[in-house]
Amino acid sequence: MRMEFEENIDAKSGRPGEEYNMHAHRFNLGFYMKLAATNLYKNGKAYIPYLLTCIFTILMYYVMGAIARNEGLQEMRGAETMRSVMQVAMIITGIFATIFLLYTNSILIKQRKKELGLYHVLGLDKGNLARMLAWESVYTAVVSLVAGILGGIVLGKLMFLVLLKMIQIPVPLAFSIEMSAVVESVELFVGIFFLSFLWNVWQVGRTNPIELLHGSQEGEREPKTKLLATAIGILTLGFGYYIAQVTDNPLSAVSNVFFAVILVIIGTYAIFMAGSIALLKCLKKWKNYYYQTKHFTNVAGMLYRMKQNAVGLANICIMSCAVLSLISVTLSLYLGAEDILQTRYPRDYTGYVYQAEEERVELEQQIVKEEAERAGVEIANRVSCHIGSITTLRDENHLLGELDDSQPNLDSIYGVYVIPIEDYNKAEGKSESLETDEVLLYLPEGSFSQETLWIGETEWKVKEKLETFSLEKMSEGMGLKMIWLVMDSKDTIASLAAQYGRLWSDSFFYKDTFDLVGDAKARESAWQSISQRLSGELGNVSSYWQEERRESYYISNGGYLFVGVFVGTLFLVGMVLIIYYKQISEGYDDKARYQIMKKVGMNRREIKSTIHSQVLTLFFLPLGMAILHIAFAFRMFGQVLKAFSLSNTMLEFYCTAGTAAVFTLFYIGVFFLTSREYYRIVR
Amino acid sequence: MTVLEVQNVKKIYTTRNGGNQVEALKDVNFSVETGEFVAIMGESGSGKTTLLNILAALDKPTGGRVRLNGQDLSQVKDKEMAAFRRENLGFVFQDFNLLDTFSLEDNIYLPLVLAGQKHVVMAKRLWPIAQELGITSLLKKYPYEVSGGQKQRAAVARALITKPQIILADEPTGALDSKASDELMRIFGQINQEGQTILMVTHSVKAASHAGRVLFIKDGEVFHQIYRGNQSDEEMYQKISASLTVLMTGGEQ
């Protein structure tokens, strides 16, 4: 192939006569195809890493897409949240892939300007060059898409098997080929390759042949301080951090996560690209600092390098964040399963009787009593009450002020739980009484300063604001902010719930919780028959057994942990590849520079320590930034966890800190490996 | 006073798989007095570069001795070598060897920064040198922004700023056009006038004709030398050309 190509060129440029007249536009299709293939082959040293990067990015994107659509995952508890998290992750990966691949391509085409200039001089006009470049893009796209998606399928299956084995969680997950994920990956990456192609054509089009010939010799300019970009970086980053700090509602957390993440990504890129240069320039102006042996070459070297590598460093930072957040959140979720369980199902048995009319509740009591006696177990720690549940907006002392479906402010959504005075008295051991227009009010978080409360158009007198409330545990712990009200009768509550309940879960129901004491088998059979009789004789009930719930929690939360570890590992592998490739290619760049310094009088030890501190800074800049991001995201992750009924800040902290520590250790390992390689090259 | 003494220097390279030995330097003897401007000429392969590397302490001779100000180079410990070279030797290379990451000013400061000098001291030293070399207006520029001649002048400034015992120049005009070459040689002449000792290896008759003495190396030995005495540059040029012709035709003089 190569020989034929060279003959072609000879025919064009060398010999006058018939062949010489063969004008450029008459080259046939095969010519461009061969030429493009030869180019890629000859530029292998630069192209293979690029191709590998493309393949890996596609692989990553496809695998994420496939997981988001995984059937096993769809059936899990909280699948909705999980799916939106995965969707956020995919969008982030998409943005990331676009920036990264376009950037890599632009460096590649810059290096190749000389070669393209040569073709131009030899007789290919710009149109011909564009056709050649088009074929190159087609090859790159086809090879990397096929390899990426096939690799994604194979690697996905493999990692599923290995990881599932490793975590030892009985997760009902299997990795399958998702056609829609394939289509989505192809669409995105064909788009990216097309943009790259347009960029290349534009680059070739706007430069004249002489410039093309000299293209790669163009000296590196010293980077300019970009104040605007720095400011944008600081602002977006600050705003992202701010959002993460003020999000105190689990429902809005997921959508805010998305916004904050986008802002922080933009901020990270801007800070690395512009802010770091501004900082280094300041250091350079500080003469007593700059002109010191250990800072001199480092500051100048980094300033020079920052421009080339800011994007690479930002990528590493963002990938680190992805790894850290995915693993720490899913780990918290897994380790917190017991916590969640205790919040939602504090007793052995938790049952709901909907449409809590007198006779239905009595029948429930009777069934529970009969079956417990028959199985020979005792009922203990029984807590039960009637609850009217209304999910609504709160505006100070107005509930249901103006609830329209258009744009609820998620922060003002409250879960209002209303219980009758008799249940309250029974639980607290009191004998309070209420008039028909009076309520007792309990607010777990925040304060209530008014004396009256409006529900819709009705005004209620707040007879007392309660300090403690033992029935608090009867809430569902869905992460909503709560208001507890005590009213005079069940009828009042039932009619309120019927009138104002908006969500499917809003109704007037009877919640019964208790432990069963006795032989394990007997307890199990008692629960089985209670549950059977309730649904058979009563209908419109639901009942849960803690043991059974525990198992299902560990399965679904184990599934999340699995997804977190899986995607985290994927990002980690990508990150290590980027770091390694970056260090090695820089090593070849820096080799000549260190030779000069040696000649001017730098000894081996000084060179080694300079390299060490430079690589160290470049390595730990993104890690430090990533850890800072995670620290600011901590609160928001807490809110996301609340959406899964987990609110255990200490646990979350240990999981996050532990993940960060392990990650840092791993990172240090990669650092030593690559800096050793780097030193071997420049030595 | 003698700055540099080269006695019976011999260099034999052994190919890696043992067999062949190549004698790059057979037996080189010469010395350089303080304030001299010496040019070394010879064909490719005559051993010029090997000799310069040995003088620069970048390479060790197989036999013989090199003394700088009475100090035997082979006695300097490896650890101290970088500092020794930094303090005693100034280098000017054919391909400038300036770092793209630094401005010309910072490139010139580099050896002093490595020696741990304060910025104030460095700035004080730079000023007169920069003026003499005519690069004051270029100091903030980067190597890729200036011409070859300007780069080489910055490299000379970098060599001078450490106040070295001797400047070793390896084909300093090799990458310059004739105008820039003339300018550089004029500068070399001028700093030599002010007392700087210079040893220059070159191919160029024109460049060598500025020197006070020219040594010719052939087959690893000093074959011949010419003193300037009171001759003008033109007369030197003629004489060097004649000597080279003899050298190349086999030396049947």
Side-chain angles (χ1 to χ4, degrees):
Chain A
M1 187 190 288
R2 208 169 149 178
M3 286 308 293
E4 281 171 85
F5 155 68
E6 271 158 9
E7 278 168 24
N8 263 325
I9 289 290
D10 280 345
K12 266 186 331 96
S13 58
R15 278 170 277 156
E18 282 169 19
E19 289 96 339
Y20 188 73
N21 284 332
M22 183 165 65
H23 198 264
H25 66 254
R26 289 202 346 237
F27 295 132
N28 58 26
L29 193 66
F31 173 75
Y32 293 110
M33 289 175 68
K34 279 179 196 163
L35 191 55
T38 317
N39 286 343
L40 296 186
Y41 174 77
K42 277 188 186 161
N43 285 303
K45 218 175 151 190
Y47 248 100
I48 285 170
Y50 172 64
L51 209 59
L52 286 178
T53 316
C54 293
I55 291 174
F56 192 78
T57 321
I58 293 171
L59 183 153
M60 208 152 82
Y61 191 78
Y62 167 71
V63 170
M64 305 246 301
I67 289 184
R69 291 179 179 76
N70 190 286
E71 267 179 39
L73 218 63
Q74 304 292 310
E75 286 156 18
M76 283 190 189
R77 189 183 57 90
E80 269 308 309
T81 317
M82 192 63 203
R83 197 167 35 227
S84 40
V85 168
M86 287 305 291
Q87 239 134 35
V88 170
M90 270 187 86
I91 293 172
I92 292 165
T93 314
I95 294 172
F96 169 80
T98 312
I99 295 176
F100 187 49
L101 292 186
L102 288 181
Y103 172 73
T104 318
N105 171 69
S106 76
I107 290 179
L108 213 58
I109 199 72
K110 201 173 153 198
Q111 286 171 356
R112 287 187 55 201
K113 270 191 177 173
K114 186 168 182 173
E115 175 196 336
L116 297 175
L118 190 65
Y119 282 135
H120 198 131
V121 170
L122 291 180
L124 292 183
D125 66 25
K126 282 175 180 168
N128 299 134
L129 282 179
R131 286 168 83 172
M132 185 185 86
L133 289 172
W135 276 107
E136 290 182 17
S137 300
V138 169
Y139 288 141
T140 315
V142 168
V143 169
S144 45
L145 275 170
V146 169
I149 289 170
L150 282 182
I153 292 168
V154 172
L155 189 81
K157 274 209 191 288
L158 211 69
M159 269 175 73
F160 255 65
L161 289 178
V162 172
L163 280 178
L164 285 180
K165 198 116 205 153
M166 263 169 55
I167 324 182
Q168 288 290 345
I169 305 168
V171 184
L173 289 180
F175 193 82
S176 46
I177 301 170
E178 306 286 343
M179 267 329 280
S180 53
V182 171
V183 171
E184 209 170 280
S185 311
V186 170
E187 279 170 2
L188 175 71
F189 285 93
V190 164
I192 293 177
F193 286 123
F194 186 66
L195 279 179
S196 300
F197 165 69
L198 288 184
W199 169 265
N200 293 350
V201 169
W202 187 64
Q203 282 294 313
V204 170
R206 79 189 183 119
T207 34
N208 65 42
I210 293 167
E211 276 176 58
L212 274 180
L213 271 177
H214 293 129
S216 54
Q217 293 165 8
E218 223 171 75
E220 290 273 354
R221 308 265 140 203
E222 196 194 40
K224 295 225 158 46
T225 312
K226 292 179 193 110
L227 277 180
L228 183 70
T230 311
I232 289 176
I234 292 171
L235 280 180
T236 46
L237 200 62
F239 193 49
Y241 282 175
Y242 173 75
I243 290 182
Q245 292 322 293
V246 297
T247 301
D248 57 355
N249 186 314
L251 291 180
S252 49
V254 174
S255 61
N256 279 4
V257 162
F258 181 74
F259 265 123
V261 163
I262 296 290
L263 284 171
V264 167
I265 287 182
I266 295 171
T268 306
Y269 278 109
I271 293 266
F272 272 105
M273 293 205 277
S276 57
I277 286 172
L279 176 76
L280 286 169
K281 285 214 154 182
C282 281
L283 285 182
K284 199 174 165 183
K285 288 219 176 82
W286 181 12
K287 291 208 161 34
N288 284 332
Y289 175 90
Y290 177 52
Y291 290 110
Q292 276 180 35
T293 319
K294 53 178 183 288
H295 303 141
F296 191 54
T297 42
N298 274 344
V299 173
M302 274 198 279
L303 197 52
Y304 184 80
R305 192 182 302 265
M306 264 306 160
K307 201 176 74 173
Q308 302 173 2
N309 293 313
V311 173
L313 291 180
N315 285 340
I316 293 173
C317 175
I318 286 162
M319 290 186 120
S320 305
C321 281
V323 175
L324 283 173
S325 51
L326 278 169
I327 295 182
S328 60
V329 167
T330 50
L331 190 66
S332 306
L333 214 51
Y334 181 66
L335 295 179
E338 192 61 39
D339 252 62
I340 300 175
L341 197 70
Q342 291 303 336
T343 316
R344 301 199 60 181
Y345 307 102
R347 308 255 187 271
D348 286 349
Y349 172 89
T350 303
Y352 300 86
V353 179
Y354 302 105
Q355 299 159 301
E357 290 129 20
E358 206 67 50
E359 58 272 27
R360 284 172 58 83
V361 173
E362 268 163 29
L363 186 55
E364 191 256 11
Q365 303 271 354
Q366 193 189 331
I367 290 172
V368 168
K369 197 173 161 220
E370 282 174 15
E371 291 306 321
E373 270 167 15
R374 184 180 320 176
V377 293
E378 290 200 16
I379 296 167
N381 303 325
R382 189 166 193 169
V383 181
S384 50
C385 67
H386 294 79
I387 297 176
S389 150
I390 305 162
T391 308
T392 184
L393 294 177
R394 175 191 164 197
D395 179 17
E396 204 43 47
N397 66 337
H398 276 77
L399 296 174
L400 323 156
E402 53 274 4
L403 182 65
D404 61 69
D405 297 326
S406 59
Q407 190 39 63
N409 174 7
L410 289 172
D411 280 338
S412 55
I413 292 188
Y414 275 76
V416 183
Y417 269 25
V418 195
I419 63 168
I421 186 74
E422 49 190 280
D423 285 351
Y424 172 76
N425 282 339
K426 205 165 83 187
E428 302 281 343
K430 289 182 180 173
S431 51
E432 299 263 351
S433 65
L434 289 171
E435 297 298 318
T436 43
D437 62 345
E438 282 178 341
V439 294
L440 302 179
L441 184 143
Y442 173 71
L443 210 57
E445 292 171 53
S447 61
F448 190 88
S449 50
Q450 265 78 8
E451 295 302 317
T452 56
L453 175 77
W454 288 84
I455 301 179
E457 298 300 311
T458 331
E459 192 180 12
W460 301 77
K461 270 188 230 139
V462 179
K463 189 182 179 196
E464 194 190 338
K465 287 165 222 162
L466 301 169
E467 295 295 322
T468 56
F469 193 74
S470 62
L471 288 172
E472 193 177 353
K473 288 258 163 65
M474 299 293 272
S475 83
E476 303 302 291
M478 288 298 278
L480 272 184
K481 288 190 238 175
M482 302 285 303
I483 296 180
W484 287 89
L485 299 175
V486 183
M487 287 183 182
D488 71 316
S489 78
K490 289 176 216 158
D491 293 341
T492 319
I493 299 170
S495 65
L496 263 180
Q499 191 181 346
Y500 295 112
R502 297 286 165 142
L503 296 184
W504 59 271
S505 60
D506 286 349
S507 65
F508 183 60
F509 58 88
Y510 176 73
K511 185 173 178 180
D512 194 8
T513 67
F514 52 82
D515 288 336
L516 290 176
V517 185
D519 173 59
K521 252 196 180 146
R523 289 168 62 222
E524 180 86 25
S525 78
W527 129 252
Q528 294 284 2
S529 37
I530 290 172
S531 153
Q532 263 170 29
R533 279 192 62 192
L534 281 180
S535 45
E537 294 171 29
L538 221 64
N540 204 5
V541 291
S542 39
S543 49
Y544 303 98
W545 184 241
Q546 199 195 39
E547 267 315 299
E548 192 198 57
R549 290 279 92 195
R550 176 172 287 126
E551 211 168 283
S552 96
Y553 268 56
Y554 273 100
I555 289 174
S556 58
N557 290 9
Y560 296 144
L561 177 62
F562 166 74
V563 171
V565 171
F566 180 87
V567 178
T569 312
L570 208 60
F571 271 98
L572 203 61
V573 172
M575 201 188 74
V576 171
L577 280 181
I578 293 181
I579 290 179
Y580 193 78
Y581 171 48
K582 197 168 92 60
Q583 272 321 104
I584 299 308
S585 60
E586 269 166 28
Y588 287 110
D589 269 6
D590 290 348
K591 193 178 174 141
R593 230 169 286 148
Y594 279 105
Q595 294 308 325
I596 294 175
M597 281 193 258
K598 234 171 162 175
K599 282 181 186 162
V600 175
M602 206 175 194
N603 65 30
R604 186 181 271 235
R605 215 186 51 229
E606 284 166 336
I607 290 183
K608 217 171 181 170
S609 78
T610 308
I611 290 176
H612 207 71
S613 85
Q614 181 163 334
V615 176
L616 196 80
T617 320
L618 284 173
F619 246 70
F620 288 93
L621 223 54
L623 180 66
M625 190 87 160
I627 289 177
L628 187 72
H629 287 349
I630 294 298
F632 272 99
F634 184 77
R635 218 183 112 95
M636 193 153 68
F637 290 158
Q639 298 298 332
V640 173
L641 289 175
K642 263 194 192 158
F644 286 89
S645 303
L646 176 67
S647 52
N648 184 338
T649 314
M650 274 326 277
L651 178 75
E652 192 204 345
F653 175 76
Y654 286 134
C655 288
T656 312
T659 311
V662 172
F663 182 78
T664 305
L665 279 181
F666 180 84
Y667 199 85
I668 288 171
V670 178
F671 162 72
F672 276 115
L673 196 80
T674 47
S675 74
R676 203 183 57 194
E677 281 298 303
Y678 178 87
Y679 180 69
R680 252 183 23 152
I681 293 170
V682 299
R683 178 173 63 185
Chain B
M1 206 186 105
T2 309
V3 179
L4 185 71
E5 241 186 303
V6 180
Q7 285 177 336
N8 310 103
V9 165
K10 193 175 182 174
K11 180 70 186 180
I12 296 168
Y13 288 110
T14 312
T15 45
R16 193 174 294 176
N17 34 20
N20 296 332
Q21 292 200 329
V22 182
E23 194 176 47
L25 298 175
K26 206 184 274 170
D27 182 22
V28 179
N29 291 286
F30 69 91
S31 61
V32 178
E33 302 295 314
T34 309
E36 259 198 301
F37 181 2
V38 178
I40 295 179
M41 295 196 78
E43 283 183 78
S44 305
S46 63
K48 284 177 312 194
T49 309
T50 308
L51 178 61
L52 199 77
N53 282 342
I54 288 172
L55 298 183
L58 289 168
D59 204 351
K60 287 207 158 76
T62 319
R65 203 178 289 173
V66 179
R67 280 209 186 101
L68 188 71
N69 255 2
Q71 163 90 39
D72 190 339
L73 290 190
S74 63
Q75 300 298 312
V76 180
K77 288 189 196 116
D78 273 355
K79 252 199 212 161
E80 292 155 14
M81 191 47 97
F84 178 83
R85 289 172 48 213
R86 209 156 59 204
E87 282 155 24
N88 297 292
L89 304 171
F91 297 94
V92 179
F93 305 93
Q94 175 174 359
D95 50 0
F96 323 125
N97 277 341
L98 295 176
L99 292 165
D100 266 354
T101 45
F102 289 123
S103 64
L104 293 187
E105 182 179 8
D106 289 347
N107 263 296
I108 297 169
Y109 284 152
L110 185 60
L112 289 185
V113 173
L114 292 178
Q117 288 282 3
K118 289 253 183 308
H119 175 247
V120 195
V121 181
M122 300 193 294
K124 224 182 243 166
R125 276 210 210 170
L126 172 65
W127 185 244
I129 296 172
Q131 262 189 332
E132 179 167 10
L133 301 187
I135 50 173
T136 26
S137 59
L138 304 171
L139 288 177
K140 297 289 174 210
K141 298 225 153 136
Y142 280 77
Y144 45 80
E145 295 172 316
V146 300
S147 72
Q150 290 165 331
K151 276 191 229 184
Q152 197 59 299
R153 275 186 272 158
V156 173
R158 181 178 64 187
L160 283 174
I161 202 161
T162 57
K163 299 183 178 157
Q165 302 288 336
I166 187 167
I167 284 189
L168 300 175
D170 185 7
E171 296 276 8
T173 58
L176 303 181
D177 59 49
S178 70
K179 205 175 149 217
S181 296
D182 287 346
E183 177 62 19
L184 185 72
M185 282 305 117
R186 190 190 61 72
I187 285 169
F188 267 34
Q190 192 180 325
I191 57 176
N192 176 243
Q193 286 287 305
E194 287 157 16
Q196 177 66 54
T197 315
I198 301 171
L199 180 76
M200 168 177 80
V201 166
T202 185
H203 254 108
S204 157
V205 179
K206 190 86 184 292
S209 69
H210 286 77
R213 176 155 62 114
V214 182
L215 297 175
F216 295 90
I217 289 198
K218 192 183 178 189
D219 302 331
E221 282 179 293
V222 177
F223 176 80
H224 180 56
Q225 61 177 329
I226 300 172
Y227 282 92
R228 173 189 288 270
N230 293 322
Q231 299 167 80
S232 69
D233 285 359
E234 283 71 32
E235 285 166 316
M236 269 302 265
Y237 188 94
Q238 296 303 330
K239 232 171 160 184
I240 295 168
S241 297
S243 299
L244 276 180
T245 316
V246 172
L247 208 64
M248 277 191 270
T249 50
E252 292 131 279
Q253 196 173 19

